[in-house]
């Protein structure tokens, strides 16, 4: 085993309470593009800000067109070796929680119990009404959009319906952030996996863990602005690296 992977393995073995912090990079090996890699989503589209979604029917239609265009990829995606390794850390009691910026639900599919997945940017596998909070299923919304081409509205209250994600410019979910901060404060090892660590406030969470005394490991194929703060940096592919360090296939 390479030295840095062996070092990661030792840190995992000696840790008492791990918090795993994940970004889009953990899901690229499942076929879901990230935002900032070459070929990533931002190389093709500019983000649509929350205010534009609220104000403008065409922005809403474009948001939904993009979401429906990703539907097959999201539905076909299965957890990869990285997700399986994270789920194994939770199952054996080493990791208390997975704090994720991801919106694809793959940590839950890989077997991490819902209560131990903290989604700070929400979830795109379903939608909610921005007025009354009613849940809406993507499949039904897609069928209606294909019929009439208008952005979906809530059949209960006529409010705007949006994927249950946090857009740029939209408030962070307060309860999820509070739980994430508590997990960061309680951990003695934070594994930041597959995140460019540039999107705030989420990227502040591993910083908070480090400030509260946890060791910080960054596993990402590219450099991140927090590398200097980390106790160990692995510029490697996630699945093979975490798989080897945790001992799962
Ligand atoms: P990001 O795109 O900014 O960064 C991903 C990082 O992962 C990059 O630095 C890239 O080099 C690295 N990476 C990609 N594949 C890798 C691999 N196989 N091995 C090692 N490193 C790899 O993503 P982020 O930091 O999560 O950015 C924030 C936003 O992206 C989040 O808000 C999240 O909601 C959103 N997002 C989520 C998904 C998803 O749910 N799967 C997909 C795209 C974007």
């Amino acid at each position: 085993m390479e030295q840095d992977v062996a070092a990661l393995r030792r840190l995992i073995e000696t840790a008492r309470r791990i918090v795993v912090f994940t970004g889009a990079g953990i899901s690229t090996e499942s076929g879901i593009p990230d935002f900032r890699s070459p070929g990533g989503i931002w190389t093709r589209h500019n983000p649509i800000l929350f205010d534009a979604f609220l104000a403008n029917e065409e922005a809403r239609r474009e948001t939904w067109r993009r979401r429906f265009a990703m539907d097959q990829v999201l539905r076909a995606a299965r957890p990869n070796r990285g997700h399986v390794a994270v789920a194994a850390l939770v199952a054996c009691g080493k990791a208390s929680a997975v704090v994720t910026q991801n919106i694809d639900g793959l940590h839950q599919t890989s077997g991490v119990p819902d209560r131990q997945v903290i989604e700070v940017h929400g979830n795109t596998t379903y939608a909610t009404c921005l007025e009354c909070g009613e849940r809406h299923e993507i499949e039904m919304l897609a069928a209606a959009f294909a019929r009439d081409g208008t952005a979906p509205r809530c059949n209960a209250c006529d409010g705007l319906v949006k994927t249950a994600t946090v857009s740029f410019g939209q408030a962070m979910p307060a309860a999820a952030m509070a739980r994430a901060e508590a997990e960061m404060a309680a951990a003695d090892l934070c594994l930041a996996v597959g995140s460019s660590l540039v999107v705030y406030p989420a990227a502040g969470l591993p910083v908070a863990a480090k400030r509260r005394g946890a060791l910080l490991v960054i596993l990402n194929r590219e450099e991140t602005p927090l590398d200097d703060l980390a106790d160990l940096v692995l510029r490697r592919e996630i699945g093979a690296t975490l798989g080897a360090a945790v001992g799962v296939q």
Side-chain angles (χ1 to χ4, degrees), residues 42-168:
W42 290 159
T43 61
R44 286 176 284 132
H45 295 303
N46 288 322
I48 297 170
L49 304 185
F50 186 56
D51 280 352
F53 184 92
L54 293 181
N56 178 332
E57 169 70 9
E58 182 43 34
R60 291 193 283 276
R61 277 203 295 265
E62 177 58 16
T63 303
W64 279 108
R65 271 193 289 272
R66 291 180 188 182
R67 172 60 186 82
F68 297 139
M70 282 294 294
D71 207 42
Q72 282 201 329
V73 168
L74 286 164
R75 278 180 201 283
R78 292 290 164 263
N80 65 59
R81 201 174 165 199
H83 294 105
V84 173
V86 170
L89 288 176
V90 175
C92 74
K94 274 268 172 194
S96 54
V98 181
V99 175
T100 189
Q101 299 169 90
N102 291 353
I103 55 177
D104 55 30
L106 287 180
H107 287 301
Q108 294 91 324
T109 313
S110 74
V112 182
D114 282 353
R115 65 177 188 285
Q116 283 168 292
V117 182
I118 303 173
E119 294 174 316
V120 294
H121 290 164
N123 189 307
T124 195
T125 63
Y126 62 95
T128 51
C129 171
L130 293 176
E131 294 298 325
C132 72
E134 171 99 346
R135 179 177 165 131
H136 295 260
E137 301 309 324
I138 301 292
E139 215 170 344
M140 305 288 285
L141 300 176
F145 190 79
R147 274 196 310 273
D148 64 18
T150 61
R153 287 194 168 259
C154 182
N155 36 26
C157 75
D158 202 40
L160 298 175
V161 174
K162 181 178 171 292
T163 56
T165 52
V166 179
S167 295
F168 285 102

Side-chain angles (χ1 to χ4, degrees), residues 124-247:
T124 195
T125 63
Y126 62 95
T128 51
C129 171
L130 293 176
E131 294 298 325
C132 72
E134 171 99 346
R135 179 177 165 131
H136 295 260
E137 301 309 324
I138 301 292
E139 215 170 344
M140 305 288 285
L141 300 176
F145 190 79
R147 274 196 310 273
D148 64 18
T150 61
R153 287 194 168 259
C154 182
N155 36 26
C157 75
D158 202 40
L160 298 175
V161 174
K162 181 178 171 292
T163 56
T165 52
V166 179
S167 295
F168 285 102
Q170 188 172 2
M172 296 290 281
M177 277 304 280
R179 286 180 61 212
E181 280 158 12
E183 288 293 339
M184 296 292 155
D188 64 353
L189 176 62
C190 175
L191 300 181
V193 179
S195 175
S196 58
L197 297 171
V198 297
V199 178
Y200 280 81
L205 291 167
V207 177
K210 177 71 189 159
R211 293 215 173 110
R212 296 291 295 264
L215 295 171
L216 174 62
V217 173
I218 295 178
L219 168 56
N220 202 61
R221 67 157 83 103
E222 291 175 319
E223 210 177 310
T224 84
L226 300 187
D227 288 357
D228 287 346
L229 194 69
D231 299 278
L232 177 65
V233 175
L234 299 102
R235 299 235 171 92
R236 290 179 170 278
E237 294 302 300
I238 293 163
T241 309
L242 264 192
V246 176

